Amino acid sequence: MGVPTLACHCAVCESSDPHDERTRPSLLVEAGGRHIVIDTTPDFRTQALRAKLDRLDAVIFTHGHADHIMGLDDIRPYNLKQGGAIPIYASAETLAILRRTFAYIFDDAPTSSTLPGVELHEVNRQFTVCGIDVKPVPANHGPVAVLGFRFGGAAYLTDFSSVPETSKDLLRGLDHLILDALRYVPHPMHSNVEQSLALIEELKPKHAWFTHICHDLGHVDANAKLPENVRLAYDGLVLESEIA
Ligand SMILES: [Zn+2]
Ligand SMILES: [Zn+2]
Ligand SMILES: [Zn+2]
């Protein structure tokens, strides 16, 4: 829901620490001058302005929930500037949600408006985008199938409640693991702090970063209770990793 959460006046929502201001979760991967965004959130435009994103080469989607897709229409300035469609990578299930949610992009109805230009690619196994090898990591998000993604030494796994054993094998030997940890209290669709710490203990990445954090966790307070190699991610956080 983002933090501050609308109409909430809790200590975290009213915090003056900029780390407690959380837009919806997304990742920008930059390598060799190419830019790939994972998930176009309802905050995509704000995030792209903040990151001074002048070029967008591809979009990868983890799943089709509103907080991960609703910014798709805002890729239009990149279509205009770059003069072409932008490749989109997602599972068949997520592509179906995109086609339904953004029917006006795909219905071929005559229009005088600018439409987002997209080129859909279904993802099942390892794929290459902008010369970068990307490994999809299937996980469960309650009853919804989601994809995490591994790029060399880093992996992004937002919105999951459990990770199958076969996917755990794709998440070993990481420098950075960015993973869902919604709150302390268990949730049917999301990993909580305790569950994510157990997964980190099992996978042993060098560094782990919590994302998709709700207003139950204050940046300073929550960090103080975590092991040294586990931190809360925050808006604008930049990590470096080997990608090849
Ligand atoms: Zn709050
Ligand atoms: Zn979700
Ligand atoms: Zn989400």
Side-chain angles (χ1 to χ4, degrees):
M1 293 177 191
V3 181
T5 299
L6 290 175
C8 183
H9 300 283
C10 76
V12 176
C13 288
E14 302 227 315
S15 162
S16 56
D17 181 349
H19 295 103
D20 284 323
E21 222 169 279
R22 302 178 185 129
T23 56
R24 267 56 71 87
S26 168
L27 188 75
L28 170 63
V29 179
E30 186 178 349
R34 312 298 289 277
H35 299 92
I36 307 163
V37 162
I38 304 185
D39 291 341
T40 53
T41 81
D43 301 311
F44 171 68
R45 180 175 173 275
T46 306
Q47 294 165 334
L49 284 170
R50 186 183 57 207
K52 299 189 169 38
L53 187 63
D54 280 348
R55 189 181 167 82
L56 179 61
D57 295 288
V59 179
I60 304 176
F61 286 102
T62 58
H63 65 303
H65 281 164
D67 54 331
H68 298 260
I69 67 169
M70 292 312 287
L72 180 60
D73 194 75
D74 284 326
I75 68 167
R76 288 175 297 140
Y78 299 105
N79 292 137
L80 294 171
K81 185 175 177 185
Q82 296 163 202
I86 291 171
I88 304 282
Y89 298 84
S91 68
E93 197 181 350
T94 303
L95 291 178
I97 296 172
L98 293 174
R99 284 198 188 91
R100 201 166 70 227
T101 309
F102 298 94
Y104 64 94
I105 300 178
F106 304 101
D107 66 7
D108 293 325
T111 175
S112 309
S113 303
T114 347
L115 294 176
V118 295
E119 190 184 277
L120 303 184
H121 299 271
E122 184 183 328
V123 162
N124 344 293
R125 53 183 71 83
Q126 179 164 331
F127 61 104
T128 305
V129 46
C130 304
I132 302 165
D133 289 332
V134 186
K135 275 198 189 90
V137 180
N140 309 307
H141 177 28
V144 179
V146 296
L147 292 178
F149 297 100
R150 177 169 184 161
F151 305 80
Y156 183 62
L157 185 59
T158 185
D159 292 55
F160 74 94
S161 47
S162 67
V163 179
E165 291 303 317
T166 44
S167 290
K168 286 181 185 170
D169 292 338
L170 304 170
L171 295 170
R172 298 189 202 277
L174 287 167
D175 292 323
H176 295 286
L177 171 60
I178 305 161
L179 77 169
D180 188 0
L182 182 75
R183 61 188 192 187
Y184 295 112
V185 181
H187 187 286
M189 301 284 287
H190 289 273
S191 187
N192 68 357
V193 170
E194 193 186 334
Q195 292 161 332
S196 291
L197 284 174
L199 186 62
I200 291 163
E201 190 55 42
E202 198 180 339
L203 300 174
K204 302 200 184 329
K206 282 196 190 115
H207 303 277
W209 303 90
F210 285 165
T211 190
H212 216 291
I213 311 156
C214 85
H215 59 167
D216 291 4
L217 276 71
H219 189 78
V220 172
D221 283 2
N223 268 337
K225 295 178 197 148
L226 293 173
E228 218 165 294
N229 66 326
V230 183
R231 299 285 95 180
L232 266 63
Y234 52 87
D235 280 45
L237 171 67
V238 177
L239 302 173
E240 283 194 26
S241 179
E242 292 287 330
I243 264 185

